[in-house]
Amino acid sequence: RVIIGNPNPDLYGNISSNLMFKNFSLSATFNYSLGNDAYNYYRQQLEGGSNFFNQTKAMLNRWSYDGQQTNTPRIVYGDPMGNSRFSDRWIEDASYLKVKDVTLSYTFNKPLWNIFQGGTVYVTGQNLLCFTNYLGLDPEFAYSYSPIMQGVDYAKVAMPRTVKMGVNLKF
């Protein structure tokens, strides 16, 4: 047995920026993680080919005749060769760069309807983009607090992509 991955990132953090021009403001926050590996249990279940579970399209490229060049083993019920067992086949680079929050706002200081003295109109997007080669649902996952389960992706649902619009008014 050998060590085939490390769930701890080599480098991680956030990058924030805020640009202002006249009454407009644009702020953005990016999250990143580099060098962490993940065991993609979800992929192991859907590409193992050892049971009657649904399988992904990757299984269309499975070995099916002598001399075929492929990296996906043949499907055999019960998996007597152990093709779906825990191995480096399911370890993936989980590095990513995410656009976590982006807000565009406009602030006005003119009275409105003789009630409001000004305000801000804004639109905010969260979890808009994720740049990664990871094949799982989301490379930013946390299944358990246990150190044994660190780096194991059990297909936890990713944070939703949301867009909000709003108005803040000053009395």
Side-chain angles (χ1 to χ4, degrees), residues 88-147:
D88 62 353
R89 180 176 175 207
W90 315 115
I91 303 294
E92 300 178 33
D93 178 18
S95 298
Y96 65 88
L97 171 66
K98 280 190 170 188
V99 180
K100 205 66 168 166
D101 295 295
V102 176
T103 300
L104 176 64
S105 63
Y106 177 77
T107 302
F108 58 94
N109 295 319
K110 296 180 182 178
L112 185 65
W113 301 309
N114 292 330
I115 300 172
F116 305 108
Q117 301 304 310
T120 303
V121 178
Y122 66 91
V123 61
T124 299
Q126 295 175 316
N127 301 311
L128 298 177
L129 295 169
C130 182
F131 302 99
T132 185
N133 290 328
Y134 183 64
L135 298 175
L137 296 176
D138 187 2
E140 186 181 31
F141 61 85
Y143 177 73
S144 171
Y145 292 110
S146 167

Side-chain angles (χ1 to χ4, degrees), residues 23-94:
N23 292 355
F24 288 95
S25 175
L26 176 66
S27 62
T29 303
F30 302 87
N31 290 5
Y32 63 89
S33 177
L34 297 171
N36 52 311
D37 295 325
Y39 171 62
N40 195 335
Y41 176 78
Y42 180 67
R43 215 179 110 226
Q44 186 267 337
Q45 289 295 304
L46 294 178
E47 294 178 11
S50 64
N51 51 39
F52 291 116
F53 296 162
N54 287 335
Q55 302 290 294
T56 67
K57 286 184 179 182
M59 295 307 288
L60 295 174
N61 192 35
R62 69 188 182 276
W63 184 88
S64 54
Y65 59 86
D66 287 336
Q68 180 181 6
Q69 297 295 316
T70 182
N71 62 357
T72 306
R74 75 179 176 148
I75 294 176
V76 179
Y77 181 75
D79 196 20
M81 283 78 64
N83 290 324
S84 66
R85 70 183 178 272
F86 186 93
S87 73
D88 62 353
R89 180 176 175 207
W90 315 115
I91 303 294
E92 300 178 33
D93 178 18

